[in-house]
Amino acid sequence: MKKFISALLTFALAFFIFSLLYDSESFFPKYGETDLNNTVSQKYIEKNVDETRPSPETGSANIVTSVVVNYRGFDTLGELTVLFISAMGVALLLNVGKERIIFRVKPNFILKAGVRIITGIILIVGIYIFIHGHLTPGGGFPGGAMIASSVLLMYISDDKFKEKMKAFNVLEGTSGVLVIVLGLIGLFAFNSFLYNFLPSGEIGQLFSAGLTPILYVLIGLKVGSELSNIIGNFLTQGGEK
């Protein structure tokens, strides 16, 4: 019965989407009738952050970044709040103990040595992703998730590994507070939450896009520490041995 209902809903959704696509005249203009000079995408293409011609745009080479961290930055803060609530719920429900769970099969030396090498590479790539989020695809969330994945690998490959939970808690709280402080500065000083009040610089350079790279670093650290806390809580839920 569940499979039948799932299939029925899938076909209904597919029919709705295809009907909109084939009867698109009421929703979308015909091909060739749109003036591209008035579209938002064209404004992104023509955006300029040269000091001789000031631009209202954010100065980030990554268009997605301009939307996620600037125009809908408050919504991104909401996503961080959801992740924080999830991490807090896991910590409360699992009744975290002081000792981690011991696996039945002991990891061998090759696994431990290999994971240590891979973990370093993952950490470097993760940090690179959220530092360059305003230049290339990526940002705080995927970079933070890669950092947490390296912590998970260390947990799985080394039965004696136990992250320092207090350090991650401090990093998580500090990053979140700094994001809110930067948002409040923009709100009270420029009447806009998370207003990009720093100079945009030269587009395509590492030190550009004003406040955007700083926010991405803070988001990456917060996401990485929160996900690492969740992993640690799952693997220390057994309490004392």
Side-chain angles (χ1 to χ4, degrees):
M1 188 63 179
K2 292 181 179 179
K3 294 183 179 180
F4 174 76
I5 295 176
S6 300
L8 184 62
L9 292 175
T10 302
F11 282 115
L13 181 61
F15 176 78
F16 176 73
I17 294 175
F18 277 103
S19 63
L20 289 180
L21 291 176
Y22 282 102
D23 187 21
S24 60
E25 295 182 2
S26 57
F27 295 94
F28 307 103
K30 292 183 178 180
Y31 180 77
E33 294 182 353
T34 304
D35 185 6
L36 298 179
N37 294 323
N38 295 326
T39 59
V40 176
S41 58
Q42 186 66 24
K43 294 179 180 179
Y44 272 114
I45 294 173
E46 296 176 350
K47 72 180 182 179
N48 175 56
V49 292
D50 190 359
E51 294 180 356
T52 60
R53 293 183 296 168
S55 172
E57 300 294 345
T58 62
S60 59
N62 185 0
I63 296 178
V64 178
T65 297
S66 301
V67 178
V68 174
V69 184
N70 288 275
Y71 300 128
R72 54 178 288 265
F74 190 76
D75 181 56
T76 301
L77 180 62
E79 295 173 359
L80 290 174
T81 305
V82 171
L83 183 59
F84 168 74
I85 295 174
S86 302
M88 183 175 62
V90 170
L92 293 175
L93 291 176
L94 293 182
N95 189 20
V96 181
K98 295 182 180 180
E99 298 294 336
R100 60 158 292 172
I101 294 177
I102 304 299
F103 300 119
R104 293 182 179 179
V105 179
K106 299 291 184 180
N108 56 35
F109 170 77
I110 297 177
L111 178 61
K112 291 181 180 180
V115 166
R116 288 177 182 176
I117 298 174
I118 297 174
T119 298
I121 298 175
I122 294 175
L123 285 173
I124 294 173
V125 175
I127 294 173
Y128 176 89
I129 285 177
F130 65 67
I131 289 179
H132 293 77
H134 60 298
L135 302 177
T136 56
F141 278 90
M146 291 190 67
I147 292 177
S149 67
S150 65
V151 175
L152 176 60
L153 284 177
M154 290 298 295
Y155 259 115
I156 295 176
S157 63
D158 190 352
D159 54 349
K160 295 182 179 179
F161 175 80
K162 187 179 186 299
E163 60 174 337
K164 296 181 179 179
M165 302 296 292
K166 292 183 179 180
F168 278 104
N169 289 333
V170 172
L171 182 61
E172 172 191 346
T174 303
S175 302
V177 169
L178 289 177
V179 171
I180 296 175
V181 168
L182 292 175
L184 293 177
I185 291 175
L187 179 62
F188 289 108
F190 303 96
N191 296 323
S192 178
F193 188 79
L194 286 176
Y195 182 82
N196 195 354
F197 54 84
L198 295 180
S200 296
E202 183 180 352
I203 190 169
Q205 299 297 320
L206 179 61
F207 297 101
S208 62
L211 198 63
T212 302
I214 299 176
L215 290 174
Y216 259 147
V217 169
L218 295 176
I219 292 172
L221 293 176
K222 182 171 178 59
V223 171
S225 58
E226 281 183 341
L227 292 178
S228 298
N229 280 331
I230 292 176
I231 294 171
N233 290 332
F234 270 113
L235 295 178
T236 54
Q237 61 176 312
E240 300 288 349
K241 289 196 293 185

